[in-house]
Amino acid sequence: MFKRKINIAVIGATGYVGLDLIYLLSQHPKASISYLCARKNIGKSIQSFDSRIKKKLPRISVIKNILWKKIDLVFLSLPNREAQKIIKKNIRYKHIRFIDLSADFRLKESNKYKNWYGAKHLAKNIIPHSLYSISEFVKKDIKKFRIIANPGCYPTSIQLALIPLIRKKLIKLKNITIDSKSGYSGAGKNFKKKFTHKNLDNSVIAYGIKKHRHMSELDQEFDKNTKTKVEYIFNPHVVPTFRGLLSSIYLEINNRSSVMKIYRELKKFHKKNKFIKIEQLNKSIGTGDVIDSNFCKISVCETRKKNRVVIFSAIDNLLKGASGQAVQNMNLAYGFKETLGLL
């Protein structure tokens, strides 16, 4: 275990995810924030962006001010393709770990990154040094890697519910429908530029139809866990609330399986996972159950058809879907108690 406090730089400090991350780290007993970096608002205090942050912290500065030899860990909360440039340049500092909250190191094949993100990966030689890290699935391996790729919010909610069932072959891998709804914070501070729909503040909007980028993560991770192709439809929606994410997963169970077996397997798999709560069978859940927390709540429900099941999975998209999971991954990587600074 890392005995002293970790010296941390946060790059991308003033976005929604960055601010939640700094708020968590400011209360973490093993975290010492040395740098808060952004492109704009240089010299401003972080409290001018988030009044929840009470601790005195460094003012916002530019990346070139970082003394890399004095840093242990870098969190990067940046637009896609930015983290890969920074990590490629500074991977030579052998003592530094990087936790990237963008998509830059989520995909293990650089050609797939280009296919999904429309641009060449600029640091493909260091992709092997990265680990795609949903915390609950990487506890044994995360300490071995210097680049920790935080997963997307939708894939986090979906995989926590589905991966245990895929591994145990309890569900049919065809005709899976995944309907996810997220608060608008998932689109970042410029969400109104991304969504030009009428009555945006009062609308539910379907987007990413047919090819949402998070499908690349799902494809990759499903393939890791089964030799059979998982056939699914995924469609996300933005709802008129700031934070929170609910995935509704409709699937068919195997002949040798049952709703109760699915429920019991999820209970068994997540028994020691402190942040995963499996609710009673057929319980209705919503995002209000998990907002402002690092928890994921999962509910297995029967439907009118005996062989069809719906699983609901709720998280806070900015916490378990981003900054909270990043801190959880930090705890695991440095040998701290997994829940430290999160409960």
Side-chain angles (χ1 to χ4, degrees), residues 11-12 39 63 76-83 86 100-103:
I11 303 177
R39 288 181 174 175
I63 296 172
L76 302 105
S77 179
L78 296 167
N80 296 324
R81 292 195 92 213
E82 295 301 317
I86 296 167
D100 177 27
L101 288 96
S102 77

Side-chain angles (χ1 to χ4, degrees), residues 46-282:
I46 200 66
Q47 285 82 4
S48 64
F49 295 91
D50 193 334
S51 60
R52 298 175 303 166
I53 302 169
K54 304 301 181 184
K55 189 174 183 178
K56 187 176 180 180
L57 296 173
R59 289 183 175 270
I60 296 169
S61 63
V62 292
I63 296 172
K64 68 179 182 180
N65 288 356
I66 295 175
L67 298 176
W68 295 94
K69 291 181 179 179
K70 295 186 177 182
I71 293 298
D72 302 304
L73 173 64
V74 180
F75 286 95
L76 302 105
S77 179
L78 296 167
N80 296 324
R81 292 195 92 213
E82 295 301 317
Q84 52 191 270
K85 299 175 191 175
I86 296 167
I87 296 174
K88 181 181 180 180
K89 185 177 180 180
N90 296 289
I91 193 74
R92 68 183 188 274
Y93 295 101
K94 304 294 185 184
H95 63 288
I96 298 179
R97 271 197 176 99
F98 303 88
I99 298 181
D100 177 27
L101 288 96
S102 77
D104 279 8
F105 290 92
R106 292 175 187 167
L107 303 183
K108 300 305 288 185
E109 297 179 33
S110 59
N111 64 317
K112 289 186 177 179
Y113 182 90
K114 185 177 180 180
N115 290 341
W116 284 92
Y117 288 89
K120 184 179 177 181
H121 199 286
L122 302 174
K124 62 182 180 181
N125 291 339
I126 60 174
I127 291 175
H129 298 286
S130 67
L131 178 68
Y132 181 85
S133 300
I134 290 181
S135 306
E136 286 70 21
F137 301 146
V138 298
K139 294 180 183 182
K140 293 180 180 179
D141 300 320
I142 197 168
K143 291 181 182 180
K144 303 172 189 174
F145 290 84
R146 290 183 55 208
I147 303 171
I148 296 167
N150 235 54
C153 52
Y154 291 123
T156 294
S157 69
I158 293 162
Q159 290 178 74
L160 287 169
L162 277 187
I163 293 296
L165 306 179
I166 290 172
R167 289 180 180 176
K168 289 292 184 178
K169 301 179 179 179
L170 292 176
I171 60 173
K172 291 186 178 181
L173 301 183
K174 293 184 177 181
N175 300 321
I176 297 173
T177 300
I178 305 166
D179 179 301
S180 296
K181 297 176 176 66
S182 175
Y184 58 81
S185 59
K189 284 191 170 181
N190 294 319
F191 71 94
K192 287 193 175 181
K193 292 182 179 179
K194 295 180 181 179
F195 298 102
T196 56
H197 302 71
K198 293 180 179 178
N199 303 314
L200 183 62
D201 295 332
N202 298 294
S203 298
V204 177
I205 301 163
Y207 75 106
I209 300 164
K210 191 177 179 181
K211 195 176 180 182
H212 188 279
R213 288 170 170 178
H214 283 181
M215 292 175 72
S216 62
E217 295 173 48
L218 292 172
D219 290 347
Q220 173 181 274
E221 299 306 304
F222 287 159
D223 287 348
K224 273 188 196 176
N225 287 280
T226 178
K227 293 179 180 179
T228 305
K229 181 70 175 176
V230 179
E231 297 180 12
Y232 68 94
I233 295 171
F234 166 67
N235 214 102
H237 305 73
V238 174
V239 296
T241 184
F242 179 66
R243 63 200 303 155
L245 187 160
L246 179 69
S247 288
S248 305
I249 306 166
Y250 303 88
L251 49 86
E252 190 173 351
I253 60 178
N254 284 332
N255 293 332
R256 64 182 184 84
S257 183
S258 67
V259 174
M260 188 55 68
K261 282 185 179 179
I262 286 173
Y263 170 76
R264 286 173 179 165
E265 178 56 32
L266 287 172
K267 286 279 284 187
K268 179 182 177 182
F269 184 92
H270 289 300
K271 184 178 180 181
K272 294 183 179 180
N273 291 329
K274 302 293 185 181
F275 291 109
I276 313 302
K277 304 295 183 185
I278 309 301
E279 296 290 355
Q280 292 180 346
L281 199 66
N282 295 320

